[in-house]
């Protein structure tokens, strides 16, 4: 197994209430130091609710945001400067909103040519050949090339977004909620296309979603994010079936499933803590049925072998 | 449609264009016309009235030919006005784009400077500049252009900030573009329409301002005259010889008015929101233009939709959002309506109480019966008195659906007070009870909170409390948990379920999620392309779907606990509702479709389980399990 | 709220400083020997020498600026040579007259403009909307000074309803009624353009708000249409109208310069134009800084009004 992407203690802190001079009024730790390894050819799913830091993490991985700390390694080479053009050839990004990720005033051909021209310095004939190759890979007709983005449905636009990411010839794709703006019938088409491309081109995916079922259906391993930290990491079929972290269990129990009676898995009306005023210790303890005194004093670290959980009182001690 | 065609459709803008073309043409050919020298004085013939021999518009206080001076003055005023507009637009846009694109410190510093300049009433700055540079037309031009730069800069910056945060700019960075190239090829093309709009709506203003400075004697200096200084010089003879004032004054009015008409036309043609007619004000209730017979009430349903047809009329196109929807919900029952976006499920919900935005929405046929009364044909006042009192709504995004400037308590109290004449105190205590009903912690302190101070889940609880305010019989919930996180969704769904059992509410629940339907609803109707394709008891529909669409839709949703797998996607896309195929709308995507499916209209048939299909997956009426359920 | 006002007042200090820097920098653009340029070639040597002393022109720019600023802080705006009296006294006298005129016009344009915009939006494409839209177009296209002149011709010369010029009669009592008779025409002429701009903006702000989801919520709970328009929509629309009112106040102050010329109104605008033509730079400088400072303070009032309306602004 070769490691395609390695994050070491990667973190991001945002300053809130910036002033022209002097220090900001507050700081929000959007991503607490995260350490992850993704094997070549693997799909790592990242799941979490809004505000858990999953998009911030993704944007750091492609250089759109500069990390506040930590390192990124791609194929064993460190890549720390926040220049998307440097990242672009190694790692690409597929956006959540397919329509707004395409410039409304450019034709699809113009959009597709940019990475070929800028990243690979191809001439006109090479570009045309490469574009038709990519378009056949993602099942798009070449007649689309001279149309504008608003003429496409969400599913088609997302295929175009994937085609653009492929044009950079990066081996790693960050898929940031790639299907959450799509209807379920179209969502399945796109997910199958992604699986097909991965098998054929030997890609590595980091698949971010809030939808547990989708993540489970596409991922080899899953990382569960809560309040900027990875709270559980393990094999996809195990994480939701046998969660070790109470938050993972809460997520799994909350997902509406056909054939399961409606219950509120949480007795209390609790939600996320205030990021400007984070709690001491474990961020989940206010919602946690197992919280003990140790949870209030210390921040739990990921622990375990095949299925790691950041919890002092995990649901399955073994694993 | 092309920009010019759009512009030409606007008759007022066209009139402005014609007048402007005429004025500009006149100004261009002025040197070629056989006119008297505008600056030659002839004090013997001063103040000649209009239509005098040799002076069509008369002469001024120095006996100079007014027509000649008017045309030369127009030439000058136009040139100065346009030049000032172009200078201000180009410099302002450049500053605005740089500030907006780079953001951070650059933006902060630039915008502080712009704010500083905008802290002057603009003429003070212009006067200060003229005072320093000395009176003169060129200096007036510089002053007017300079004071307008901040306005352009601020406007363009706002637009640029919006564009710079769009995902396509990120995508361009990842595709290897540098900042300069992104500004030129990604940002600028999207900003130019705004610059053009801003310019076309301010050229008139610039002409007025330069004319104003000249009027004050600070612009063009004698003997040269633009329209403003002509007016300024004529002022002393206003009472004795008004024509010398009226001539240049009217010219300014005509020019500026033509430019403004044209500018509005340009704005309307370039603004995509105006183009799609989105800036129409929705009326108090959806427009009703029913054709065909109005169905009569039947059955024991509390709320019944009968062959309801709702359309959207946008320009020449007609979108048939609902193509005849019949549904019923009994007291205490929860009916789910499930479908993909564009299937008409939300339009169905909004049509009930006439809340479909109109224009462009029109209810074109059918009826909505509430306790036997037809709501589609009801007067606005009747409809209003039922809204919220008998039939209440819960909407999707609780941040957008609550008024941002009123406290939660005020909004809840209003819901009560529009239907019942209760005192403020009573309304407040009832409001408090409502917040407790929806399990809001510290209800007392939450009364005076604004929506933005609450989390999404708490806001949606307020939305539910508002729907419950008058103990309605029916609640229509339009995707109430779609905007929420899954753990919060579970809380809200269980709250809704508890409330409906406590209060015996009938609920119409719109969703796209089979899991939610399965957990909450007694019956479910599946919609596709504006029609119901299948209806029946939830469990039966989900376990043995009768319509091929239902079966395949269920199959392509991944379900938790099934592990990594290939999904069974449905090829193709749902049809556009302005170009529906004849026959079954699903036929083009259906693997069972036969010739017959593509020909005639397929009826919804069956009893407790209905299906709109010629070749259903299961024969609904012979299925013993569902027949038994229907009999209960 | 008190802390918010204080915060805004403190944040106005750099803006006020910026204003003085800008005015000082513009005045430094005057070419050639400043004193002669300011006083003209017919200036007496005493005047030139006096001005040089007043401006401290022998000193470097930064020092000159500091002295000028320090004097202004102490209330010494210098002395107008053309009027031979302290600049501040003259500006204060004149500013009162401008305030009466511009204030009246501002109130008029805010009230009439917003009301017209709301009616126009509520009756979109109806007869009232078309009428208002046309009137607005005419209003924003007509030069206020030309309108003023035509009003004089019609209402003062032809109909003799109002006096043609001035703020007070030369002889006679200074009643409020007399002032109102003198004020009517200039205030109206001044208000027309701003009313048009406000009405236009109010209309589009209302149309924008009326499409929002919370308006549909209000309708869904059964709020009568009048309440939807005036209570729900107008309140939300005011969030975008109020900043424009702040900007319009600047435009009304600016337009006052023309109107004061046309109607011989003894305001600060006419004083400035006269001062420029007479090259009385100290008077121009002082007048500009004073009026701009007042406008900055007024905008703080606007901001405070905005924060009272919109709870999302952090106070």
């Amino acid at each position: 197994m070769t490691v395609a992407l390695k994050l070491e203690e990667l973190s991001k802190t945002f300053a809130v209430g910036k002033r022209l001079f002097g220090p900001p009024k507050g700081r929000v730790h959007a991503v607490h130091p995260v350490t992850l390894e993704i094997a070549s050819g693997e799909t790592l799913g990242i799941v979490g609710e809004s505000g858990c830091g999953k998009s911030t993490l993704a944007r750091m991985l492609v250089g759109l945001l500069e990390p506040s700390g930590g390192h990124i390694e791609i194929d064993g080479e460190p890549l720390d400067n926040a220049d998307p053009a440097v990242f672009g050839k190694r790692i690409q990004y597929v956006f959540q909103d397919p329509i707004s990720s395409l410039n409304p005033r450019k034709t699809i051909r113009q959009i597709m040519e940019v990475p070929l021209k800028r990243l690979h310095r191809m001439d006109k004939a090479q570009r045309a050949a490469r574009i038709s190759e990519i378009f056949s890979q993602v099942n798009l007709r070449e007649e689309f090339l001279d149309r504008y983005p608003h003429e496409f449905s969400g599913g088609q636009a997302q295929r175009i977004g994937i085609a653009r990411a492929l044009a950079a010839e990066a081996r790693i794709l960050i898929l940031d909620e790639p299907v959450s703006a799509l209807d379920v019938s179209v969502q399945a088409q796109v997910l199958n296309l992604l699986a097909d491309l991965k098998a054929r081109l030997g890609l590595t995916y980091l698949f971010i979603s809030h939808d547990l079922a989708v993540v489970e259906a596409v991922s080899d391993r899953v990382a569960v994010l809560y309040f900027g930290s990875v709270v559980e990491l393990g094999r996809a079929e195990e994480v939701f079936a046998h969660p070790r972290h109470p938050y993972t269990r809460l997520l799994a129990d909350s997902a509406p499933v056909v054939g399961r009676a409606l219950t509120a898995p949480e007795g209390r009306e609790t939600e996320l803590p205030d990021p400007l005023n984070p709690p001491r210790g474990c961020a989940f303890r206010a919602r946690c049925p197992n919280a003990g005194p140790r949870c209030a004093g210390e921040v739990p670290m990921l622990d375990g072998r095949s299925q790691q959980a950041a919890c002092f009182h995990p649901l399955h001690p073994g694993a | 449609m092309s920009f010019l065609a759009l512009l030409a459709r606007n008759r007022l803008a066209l009139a402005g264009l014609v007048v402007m073309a005429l004025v500009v043409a006149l100004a261009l050919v002025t040197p070629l016309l056989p006119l008297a020298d505008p600056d030659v004085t002839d004090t013997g013939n001063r103040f000649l009235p209009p239509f005098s021999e040799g002076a069509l518009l008369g002469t001024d206080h120095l006996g100079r030919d007014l027509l000649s001076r008017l045309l030369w003055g127009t030439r000058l005023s136009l040139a100065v006005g346009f030049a000032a507009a172009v200078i201000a637009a180009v410099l302002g846009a450049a500053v605005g784009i740089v500030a907006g694109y780079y953001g951070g410190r650059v933006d902060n510093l630039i915008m502080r400077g712009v704010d500083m300049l905008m802290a002057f009433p603009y003429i003070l700055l212009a006067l200060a500049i003229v005072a320093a540079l000395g009176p003169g037309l060129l200096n007036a031009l510089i002053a007017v252009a300079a004071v307008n730069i901040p306005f352009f800069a601020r406007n363009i910056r706002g637009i640029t900030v919006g564009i710079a945060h769009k995902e396509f700019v990120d995508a361009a960075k990842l595709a290897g573009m540098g900042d300069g190239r992104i500004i030129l090829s990604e940002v600028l093309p999207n900003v130019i329409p705004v610059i053009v709009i801003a310019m076309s709506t301010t050229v008139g203003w610039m002409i007025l301002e330069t004319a104003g400075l000249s009027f004050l004697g600070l612009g063009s200096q004698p003997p040269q005259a633009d329209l403003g200084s002509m007016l300024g010089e004529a002022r002393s003879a206003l009472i004795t010889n008004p024509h010398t004032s009226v001539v240049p004054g009217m010219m300014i009015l005509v020019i500026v008015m033509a430019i403004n008409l044209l500018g509005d036309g340009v704005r309307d043609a370039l603004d995509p929101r105006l183009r799609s007619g989105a800036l129409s004000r929705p009326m108090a209730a959806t427009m009703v233009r029913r054709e065909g017979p109005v169905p009569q009430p039947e059955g024991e349903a509390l709320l019944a939709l009968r062959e309801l047809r709702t359309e959207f009329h946008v320009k020449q196109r007609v979108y048939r959002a609902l193509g005849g929807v019949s549904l019923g919900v009994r007291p205490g029952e929860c009916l789910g309506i499930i479908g993909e976006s564009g299937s008409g499920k939300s339009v169905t919900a909004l049509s009930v109480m006439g809340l479909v935005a109109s224009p462009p929405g029109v209810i074109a046929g059918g009826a909505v019966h509430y306790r036997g009364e037809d709501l589609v044909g009801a007067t606005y006042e009747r409809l209003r008195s039922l809204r919220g009192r008998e039939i209440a709504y819960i909407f999707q995004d609780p941040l957008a659906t609550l008024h941002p400037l009123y406290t939660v308590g005020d909004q809840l109290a209003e819901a009560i007070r529009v239907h019942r004449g209760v005192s403020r105190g009573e309304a407040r205590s009832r409001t408090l009870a409502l917040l407790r009903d929806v399990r809001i912690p510290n209800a007392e302190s939450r009364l005076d909170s604004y929506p933005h101070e609450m989390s999404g889940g708490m806001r949606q609880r307020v939305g539910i409390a508002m729907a419950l305010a008058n103990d309605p019989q029916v609640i229509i919930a339009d995707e109430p948990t779609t905007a929420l996180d899954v753990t919060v969704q579970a809380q809200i769904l269980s709250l809704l379920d508890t409330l409906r059992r406590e209060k015996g509410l009938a609920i119409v629940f719109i969703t796209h999620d089979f899991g939610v339907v399965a957990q909450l609803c007694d019956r479910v109707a599946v919609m596709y392309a504006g029609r119901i394709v299948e209806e029946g008891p939830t469990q039966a529909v989900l376990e043995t779907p009768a319509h091929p669409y239902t079966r395949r839709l269920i199959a392509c949703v991944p379900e938790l606990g099934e592990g990594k797998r290939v999904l069974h996607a449905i090829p193709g896309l749902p049809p556009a509702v302005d170009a529906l195929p004849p026959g079954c709308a699903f036929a083009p995507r259906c693997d069972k479709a036969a010739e017959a499916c593509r020909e005639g209209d397929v009826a919804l048939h069956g009893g407790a389980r209905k299906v709109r299909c010629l070749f259903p997956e299961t024969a609904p009426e012979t299925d013993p399990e569902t027949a038994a359920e229907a009999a209960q | 709220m008190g802390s918010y006002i204080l915060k805004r007042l403190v944040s106005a200090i750099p803006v006020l400083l910026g204003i003085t820097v800008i005015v000082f920098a513009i005045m430094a653009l005057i070419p050639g020997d400043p004193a002669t340029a300011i006083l003209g070639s017919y200036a007496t040597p005493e005047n030139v020498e006096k001005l040089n002393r007043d401006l401290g022109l022998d000193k470097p720019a930064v020092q000159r600026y500091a002295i000028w600023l320090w004097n202004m802080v102490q209330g010494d705006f210098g002395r107008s040579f053309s009027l031979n009296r302290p600049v501040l006294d003259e500006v204060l006298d004149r500013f009162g007259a401008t305030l009466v005129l511009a204030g009246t016009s501002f109130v008029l344009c805010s009230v009439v403009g917003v009301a017209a915009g709301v009616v126009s939006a509520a009756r979109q494409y109806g007869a009232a909307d078309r009428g208002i839209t046309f009137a607005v177009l005419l209003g924003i296209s007509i030069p206020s000074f030309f309108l003023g002149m035509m009003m004089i011709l019609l209402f003062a010369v032809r109909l003799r309803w109002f006096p043609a010029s001035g703020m007070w009669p030369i002889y006679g009592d200074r009643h409020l009624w007399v002032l109102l008779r003198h004020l009517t025409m200039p205030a109206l002429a001044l208000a027309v353009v701003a009313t048009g701009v406000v009405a236009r903006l109010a209309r589009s702000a209302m149309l924008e708000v009326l499409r929002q989801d919370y308006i549909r919520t209000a309708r869904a709970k059964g709020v009568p249409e009048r309440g939807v328009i005036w209570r729900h929509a107008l309140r939300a629309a005011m969030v975008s109208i109020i900043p424009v009112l702040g900007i319009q106040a600047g435009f009304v102050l600016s337009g006052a310069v023309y109107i004061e010329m046309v109607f011989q109104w003894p305001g600060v605008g006419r004083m400035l134009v006269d001062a420029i033509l007479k090259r009385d730079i100290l008077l121009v400088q002082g007048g500009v800084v004073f009026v701009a400072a007042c406008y900055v303070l007024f905008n703080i009032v606007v901001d405070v009004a905005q924060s009272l309306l919109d709870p999302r602004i952090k106070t």
Side-chain angles (χ1 to χ4, degrees), chain B residues 549-561:
Chain B
Y549 173 66
T550 317
R551 176 180 59 84
R552 300 186 59 182
L553 192 63
I554 293 172
C556 72
V557 182
E559 220 174 279
L560 198 60

Side-chain angles (χ1 to χ4, degrees), chain C residues 232-309:
Chain C
H232 287 258
L234 178 59
R235 178 141 180 174
M238 283 311 281
V239 170
S240 44
I241 294 174
I242 283 183
V244 171
L245 289 182
I247 294 173
Q248 281 310 305
F251 278 63
V252 167
L253 264 179
S254 299
V257 175
Y258 306 124
I259 296 299
E260 285 171 8
M261 293 297 282
V262 172
F263 288 93
Q264 303 290 315
W265 192 267
V268 79
R270 233 177 90 205
M271 176 203 86
L272 284 175
V273 175
D274 289 343
I276 291 172
L277 293 173
K278 288 178 189 152
R279 316 239 66 190
D280 188 346
I281 293 302
L282 278 180
L283 191 55
V284 177
Q285 249 178 359
V288 168
V289 168
F290 184 85
V291 178
C294 291
Y295 181 56
V296 168
L297 295 179
F298 175 77
N299 269 316
I300 293 177
V301 176
V302 173
D303 286 349
V304 171
Q306 182 82 337
S307 76
L308 286 176
L309 177 75

